[in-house]
Amino acid sequence: MSLYVELALTAAEKDRVRSLAGEVPVWFAEPKEHTDRDAEAFARAEVAVGNCPPEWLKQAASLRWLQLSSMGIDRYVGLDWAELGRRITVTNLTGTFADPVAQTCLAGILALYRGVDELARLGERHQWSTTPLRPGLRLLTGASVVILGAGTIARRLAELLAPFGCEVTLYSRRMTPGELDALLPETDVLVGLLPGTEETAGLVDAARLALLPHGAIFVNAGRGSLVDEDALVAALRERRLGGAVLDVTATEPLPPDHPLWSCPRTLLTQHTAGGSDQESGQILEVFEDNWRRFTSGRPLRNIVEWSRGF
């Protein structure tokens, strides 16, 4: 057996992996800097950790388990899992990014409510503008928040909002689209934390954006496919929305000429919400637990269910 590792690790973290693997040979590759030798090592590996190129999986005859270094599985969805799934088990990082993503969402909401985004732009211009801004600053206290999703990130964000006395509703599979539509006219903050599936694509369309009250804020840290971006741009430019916090977009990286770059009161956090100075350590913790399970024949955690899309 051999182990292929494609993570950005320190020397100490690599030693940690070698210690875990024991006598099992380990190959370390740099993410997104693949060489022919990396591809050869992957083809020999029975276990791999990291987000390898999807096309490699088709030729990886020895691979039995792939531990992704992400929660999202979008780039692998198009593969034939009816065939690949017979020999390869894929696990992801569900639950690992709950704190950082929830904190980014909260930080963005507070930035828009308290005018931090506008104050930062004024600071770049060395412009003092206290009097015009003060009357428009808002309080998050008691706000009505609808979170699209009911997973670990959604539940953690609800916990972070609790001290503000927010009225939080989690939209899950148990609710109907009609129930969501009934909530939107009273929603101050709408947060998207859903996976990218056929059911969630375009859920936040022009009609639902129009149901939100004037000045509502839209946050998306799930998948860019959730929202009709043309409709979102229109709502922001017309200032029907009070702003947006977007960690994800339909196309990433966002093209330089995309209108979202210049929309008013729009914070683009560039898919960094899951990041932290503890990220690599957290990934290794998940992998280590599953490695011990794999090598002892116990069930793995966070197995991807391809039929459900996450």
Side-chain angles (χ1 to χ4, degrees), residues 2 26 52 58 82 84 97 137-138 184 205 217 227 260 264 274 287 292 304 310:
S2 63
V26 183
C52 66
K58 301 174 185 178
L84 289 174
F97 303 115
L137 300 181
R138 300 163 65 185
L184 294 180
D205 56 12
I217 287 173
V227 63
L260 280 173
F287 172 64
R292 294 187 178 98
V304 172
F310 56 90

Side-chain angles (χ1 to χ4, degrees), residues 149-169:
T152 55
I153 299 173
R155 295 195 299 272
R156 182 60 181 138
L157 178 57
E159 291 174 353
L160 296 181
L161 290 167
F164 294 92
C166 294
E167 181 183 340
V168 179
T169 303

Side-chain angles (χ1 to χ4, degrees), residues 15 115 117 168 179 267 309:
D15 287 341
D117 61 317
V168 179
E179 289 174 311
L267 301 176

